[in-house]
Amino acid sequence: ATSLSQQKPLSPQKNQSEEHLSQSNCSENLLDMSKNIVKRACNPRPFDEISTTFVYIQNELLPPETGPSNLIDPVHEYKLMANTENASEKDILKKFTEEVFRFAAACMNSRTNGTIHFGVGDKPQYEHGQIIGLELRSPDKYIDEFDKRLEEYFEENTNVAKTCIRPPKFIQVKCPDNINVDKWVIEVDVVPNYSETLEKLFYTVTVKEEGKKKCKTECLFIRSGARTINVLADKNPRSVQEKMKKVTDDVKSWALSRKSAEERDSESIGQSSQGQRLKQLITHGRDILENSLQFIVITNKCHVSQLEHLSFLKELKLFVILDFDPESQKNGTCSYYRKDRMANIHYPRLYNTADNISSIISKLNLFKQTSWVFCNGQVNETEPDMPFSDGEWLKKRATEVSEMISLICKPDIISKEKLVVMFLLHSAVNDISSPITETFCAIYQKLEGDDNMLCICKDLTVFEQWKHVVQTRCKVDITSKCIYELSLNEINCTIQKTREPQTSSVNRYLPSFGSSSVLLTKKDQAQMTVLEILAENECENTEIETMDSFMQFKNKTEEDFYRGGQVKWWNFYLSERPGSIPFIKRDKYEELHNLITPTEGYSSPCIIINLFHHPGCGGTTLAMHVLWNLRRKFRCAVLKNNSAQSSEIAVQVTQLLTYGKEEPSTYTPVLLLVDNWEDSLIVIILNCERSQFPSESSRKSRIDSVFITNKLSTKEQAFFQMKLKDLKGHHEKPETFYAFMIMTKDFSEKYIENLVCNILKDLDVSKREGQLLSFLALLNTYVHGSCMSLSLCEELVGIKNLWKQETLEEKMNPYSTLLISFNVEECGTYQAVRFLHQMIAENCLKVLISKHNLKLSEITTNLLHCNQLYKSGMGKDILIQSILSMLITRQRKEHGDDKDTLFSPLIEEMPLAESKEVLTLATKRFDKNATVPQALARHFYLKEKDFTSALQWAQDARQKEYNSYIADTLGQVYKSNLKFMYETEQKNELTPEDTSLHSFRETDQRTFLFSLKPRMKEIFEFFETYFTYLKPRSIERETAEDRNKRKVSEYFKKYVKLFCQSGEEKEMERASHYQWETLLCFLKNSTSLHSFRETEQRTAEFIPKLINHEKFLFSLKPRMKEIFEFFENYFTYLKPRSIERETAEDRNKRKVSEYFKKYVKIFCQSGEEKEMERASQPNLSLGQKLEDYRCYLEEKRANTFAGLLQCLTEKNGSQMELILKKWQFISENSKNCINQVNFILANIVLYCVKPRSPILKRFNELLHLLNVVLQEKGTYSEFTEAYYLAMLLLWPGKESNMVDTTLSKNICTYVTSTKKSFHRRFSHLFPAKSAIAHFYLGKSKELKRVIHKAKLDQVVDKEKHPNIHQLWQSGAIWREPEVHNLLQRVKGKTENGVIYVHYGGNLRIPVRPVYLGGLRSGCSMEEVSFFLGFTMGGPVAYDIKYTMDL
């Protein structure tokens, strides 16, 4: 390699240890370090390919320069072109073209492919082949000079030269940390094809200027080893002649060799089988790419020009993408995918939690939405999410990525036969410790091999390096798993062609206003994870209908349904095709249809209709039939997951209701089908509810309802017979569609019994097949909807092959005719197996017991002993829940069962000894579960009267989990033991101590108690009202609540009996009025009773009796004050979560206000009394004056922080000024933290009520006072109010000088302290309450940006919105332009269900969504904007909008 000038190389600077280098100094530092850093080998750009994505990494080493070999593999020559600072541009370009054409002519004459590289170093300044890069001012000039000079050099051979010499290519050079350094490598390829060069010699002409003359020199260049030589350079003519003769002969030989080499290369290309290999690998050896396959994709940076060829990713079921491109969301694969598909942005740490697998799947929306995991952070992020170099990645991130892989590759998540791991490598991976290599090793280890792997490499070079790295690390040849000869476009088209024909419409539409339609995009549909949406064009214009396999698909769909599978929308669609018999319309269809579409319209925005049905009699099918026929009138959906949170369901139903709409008046109603769901939404809800007595349940229902039973009418029987005849014409054995036949036979027990006996006549229960059948029969009999995963069933019967050469249906034949497989989408997507019908399972169990001599306890014991059921695997959690339910869950009439039971039906049907053995065994199998020992404890004390054992197991349950139900069981053990002892005549041994209540009825105490009785009664009534108001959120809690109310009622009766004896009550009513006034005087002034004159006849007996209770009486006022302060905090800081409870809340608030007035009347001096006191004592002491001011504030309900917040709406400017003056005097003369905080708040409230008041303190003064309080209290106290003010006043803004920096930098600490202290004080009220936001963040500064709620009410157009309250309830307040003008919209980023606001540096403030469904499920890390509210529980976000949606 040569350079333009031979200057001394720059001496290397001191070795740099930092791994992160900024873009500005990256190039310079790396060059200076060139002799000290460790350099890695790399491969050159793929020969004769145009690749806009290929880059070189600075200081990596290209292979050594070579001579000709097989003529097809290119030779390489390196030129640095360095030290050009003093050279002219003309000289640089001339030198460039000379070197190019010199090398090109040599390759053309030698008939070898070749590449010359510019910007590559050589010794002594650099290592040989070291990539340095050139700074190019104008690449276009190199191309222009190349085109201009080519004809000068090659003259008559110009056309051939143009064909053989490729135009210059400019390859970008990057730093090792993937940052651009604005340097380039220039490369020129030479391809001397035989068809162009034949046996010609190619001379070149160089022109040199000597003065005014131009001298031409003819040259003939060839390759001699790794060098280029000029044959004509020899000065000896004879020697030149000899060399020319030899070269001429050599060229002829080289030409023939070139021709043969090209023919061999062409044959090898034509024999490639990479397309077939791709199909085999991606389909697991099947003919088509099935929709059931789940993909884990690992990828690195893809060039923008190649993104269009990644559309195949949008057609795969992407489970997780492990992306190592930090810029992917900005301009890479992630950005491309998320344009029209849903993907949640995650980091590896979200997978590394202590939560169980089901919780992680639910939390991250796995299987429902693609999880896009940035395994090496993202650009423009701070730690811990910033990109790392390879070395830093190994230290700081490798562990969490490895742990994430351990989780997602578990068989509990995805079974191996349904998993494809795809490595999508767009650029070379040449380091055995690179992040992608480490990821491969982790997956290889977890999956125990590469059976599930597919590696797509961009080209041969990427493949060879990848193969070498994997072979070095894992000692395995990955060649058979790699695709490297196909272009990304060919791969894209091959995969798309291989996929299974689509059974859903390409474009799905929803009905809209005025018979119009709106397009439901795949991305928006994916956001509604809990809803199965029925489009108005469902099943229309699908790909499957155009395929030859459609009839096979049609017959399979019908067969699955009539055998006992869940009805699909396709079943309704197929029944409407020409020549088909209409879907059977049940007798109750019209009744249900008319309830949903009443002619008189709807009386409420929330309509709930119950459909009660026997299990397996077609209730859900009837409901879905109605939805199908109403799909063009309503926006219909089925609730997929009953266990989803109500808030999440509400948000998604609202999204469906408002989709494509702007005006509420044009909303199309939503018809939602749910299955045994308790909560309600503002939609039409069709609730399918199983019941053993559907007619009775319907009769008792308080809402509109319909019922169907397992008894067909004559009309329905005729329809079924007609359908059976139709099925015989299209299916071979419709009589094996047993679920359909059961209904056709009108649920005949005799038919089912004969069917099961006939099929099970040769069953061997000792074999694996018999054991599996017994397990399924037991589960399906006692637990409705129970199932076992298909992979588990295959394992139980001995099927263990990945490629599924043997199926469960074949292995279980003929018993498989009683079973059906179906898809389950809870806690992952997998196939499961169950009996066709519950009645078949019940009869199968009867046959096993009666004819195969199996006992219920024996089958259950085998089930509990079978370790395979409890190992990791798909559906394990659901299976365990079913087994526990079978053992534990009791029957309840209120739940639609036929009777109430003490134990589960399974345990009830076993003999006493066997049930005890089963439960004891279950405690060993589920050794961490508390409900099993609880059930065993109940068994001992209820059935065996063994109270010692019962106590032991109850205490064991209590140690595992302590809740009210287990505590109740423990109490019942003691109670039952005492009752049993009493009933067995051992009651004489019970000698409880005499707890006579006589001492409570002595005269002195009667005097006091009865004097307070009317007031105590009022307080008790309030608590009773309030207790009634706090309604439980679930039916289970409501049942427990009713028990508690009954107990309270019993206690109250005892209280009345004890303290409210009628004779004595009348006696006390005749007490002297003077005595009562004396008591009031004491209560108001809190002075000693000894100061009253005992000589006064009217109080001579009364005062001594009160003195005995002086301590209690003295504490009565502060206690009552504390109670009222609590309720003031309660009503001010908290509000009901539901709108329905707000009316009751207001009623209770008014009632408390009435009691407070009575409290003031009894315990506080009136205005007249205060005047009299001032007249008698004109010179009040400071203490008396402070007390006087406090009493005034208490009377005005402005003596507490909560009371001052109420003044925002209850006081005018003049009143607040007086209140502020009182607080100023108190704060100046009694400097405790509470007074200071209340004084600060009083200033804020006055500013909100009267901004121009002259007595307001300056903002900086308030901050100073607040700082004093915070310094004294620290950050761990219960002083929520101080932290609240810190959060309100110190919230960062755009103005850097807005607040004191020392205070503002601690804002995160104060927010945390606010939340923690508030939680400690009020967490017991959270289930029914949420915190109120009294202030919002405005656009101004200082106190001007503190916007209170009343201000927002004032600015809204009253004529347009007369009902402001409704605006707040609906959330429409946030769309008002006046509100937008006042409030500041804050930007943040979601993470794990919380929004974080970033304000420079490491300031990262957590903000909670005000509504539970405010953020989308899935924990995607997204940029959002919102309005900020301040509550006592911390900052909250309103009107959250996702940036990507704007």
Side-chain angles (χ1 to χ4, degrees), residues 108 464 497 875:
M108 291 169 67
E464 288 176 344
K497 184 180 177 182

Side-chain angles (χ1 to χ4, degrees), residues 306-318:
Q306 296 296 303
L307 291 176
E308 61 179 323
H309 302 310
L310 294 178
S311 57
F312 69 90
L313 291 175
K314 298 180 180 180
E315 306 303 325
L316 303 177
K317 277 195 173 180
L318 299 182

Side-chain angles (χ1 to χ4, degrees), residues 1259-1260 1263 1293-1301 1341-1342:
F1259 184 73
N1260 287 335
L1263 285 183
K1294 295 181 180 179
E1295 302 82 4
S1296 58
N1297 59 346
M1298 188 192 70
V1299 295
D1300 180 77
T1301 54
K1341 59 182 180 179
E1342 298 185 352

Side-chain angles (χ1 to χ4, degrees), residues 1134 1280 1314-1322 1326 1331 1432-1433:
L1134 302 166
T1280 312
T1314 304
K1315 293 167 64 176
K1316 288 183 177 180
S1317 61
F1318 182 77
H1319 187 273
R1320 288 191 294 266
R1321 290 171 61 182
F1322 297 102
F1326 284 175
M1432 298 301 292

Side-chain angles (χ1 to χ4, degrees), residues 876-1131:
K876 184 193 77 170
D877 291 344
I878 293 178
L879 176 61
I880 289 176
Q881 289 173 12
S882 296
I883 295 173
L884 285 171
S885 177
M886 180 176 67
L887 294 169
I888 303 299
T889 304
R890 293 177 267 170
Q891 288 188 333
R892 290 282 184 271
K893 285 184 178 180
E894 60 191 79
H895 295 160
D897 297 317
D898 56 350
K899 60 181 178 180
D900 291 328
T901 61
L902 291 172
F903 297 90
S904 69
L906 174 65
I907 299 299
E908 292 270 351
E909 293 175 22
M910 291 182 188
L912 187 66
E914 293 178 10
S915 62
K916 180 175 70 175
E917 289 180 11
V918 166
L919 287 174
T920 303
L921 179 60
T923 60
K924 297 176 182 177
R925 169 57 69 185
F926 306 107
D927 55 346
K928 295 181 180 180
N929 185 280
T931 57
V932 179
Q934 180 190 16
L936 187 56
R938 296 182 69 256
H939 174 89
F940 276 117
Y941 84 76
L942 287 172
K943 287 195 170 184
E944 298 192 15
K945 305 301 179 184
D946 183 353
F947 299 105
T948 303
S949 298
L951 180 60
Q952 173 191 339
W953 286 110
Q955 290 174 336
D956 179 68
R958 182 181 179 180
Q959 290 175 355
K960 291 172 179 174
E961 182 180 356
Y962 187 66
N963 57 44
S964 59
Y965 300 103
I966 292 176
D968 181 68
T969 299
L970 187 60
Q972 291 294 335
V973 172
Y974 288 118
K975 175 184 172 182
S976 299
N977 190 13
L978 290 171
K979 185 178 179 182
F980 181 76
M981 292 169 65
Y982 179 83
E983 291 174 351
T984 52
E985 297 184 352
Q986 298 182 21
K987 59 183 178 181
N988 293 331
E989 297 180 15
L990 302 176
T991 58
E993 295 181 2
D994 183 12
T995 56
S996 172
L997 297 175
H998 176 71
S999 57
F1000 291 101
R1001 298 179 185 148
E1002 292 180 358
T1003 304
D1004 291 345
Q1005 294 174 346
R1006 286 202 308 257
T1007 302
F1008 166 68
L1009 290 171
F1010 282 107
S1011 68
L1012 292 180
K1013 186 231 172 192
R1015 284 84 191 167
M1016 296 299 291
K1017 181 181 178 183
E1018 288 178 352
I1019 294 173
F1020 189 91
E1021 285 175 353
F1022 165 72
F1023 279 110
E1024 187 177 37
T1025 302
Y1026 196 77
F1027 182 73
T1028 305
Y1029 155 68
L1030 286 175
K1031 181 182 178 182
R1033 301 181 72 192
S1034 65
I1035 292 176
E1036 293 80 2
R1037 293 181 183 177
E1038 194 165 346
T1039 305
E1041 189 80 354
D1042 289 338
R1043 289 197 298 269
N1044 291 332
K1045 287 180 183 178
R1046 288 194 294 271
K1047 291 179 181 179
V1048 169
S1049 179
E1050 293 172 4
Y1051 294 146
F1052 181 67
K1053 290 176 182 178
K1054 294 178 181 179
Y1055 164 79
V1056 171
K1057 183 178 179 181
L1058 186 62
F1059 293 108
C1060 301
Q1061 298 172 359
S1062 59
E1064 298 185 37
E1065 185 175 354
K1066 292 177 182 177
E1067 177 184 342
M1068 295 313 300
E1069 285 177 356
R1070 294 192 293 269
S1072 168
H1073 178 71
Y1074 180 80
Q1075 294 177 355
W1076 175 244
E1077 291 297 327
T1078 303
L1079 178 60
L1080 285 180
C1081 184
F1082 166 73
L1083 292 175
K1084 289 179 180 180
N1085 293 285
S1086 297
T1087 56
S1088 174
L1089 287 169
H1090 293 282
S1091 63
F1092 289 95
R1093 291 174 296 157
E1094 296 186 11
T1095 56
E1096 175 63 50
Q1097 184 63 34
R1098 291 175 293 179
T1099 60
E1101 297 182 2
F1102 178 65
I1103 294 300
K1105 294 173 183 176
L1106 289 180
I1107 289 175
N1108 293 335
H1109 304 283
E1110 183 176 10
K1111 185 177 180 180
F1112 174 77
L1113 289 171
F1114 190 81
S1115 65
L1116 190 57
K1117 179 180 179 180
R1119 287 184 180 181
M1120 293 295 293
K1121 182 178 179 181
E1122 184 179 347
I1123 290 171
F1124 281 111
E1125 285 180 359
F1126 166 78
F1127 283 112
E1128 193 164 43
N1129 290 343
Y1130 181 85
F1131 288 121

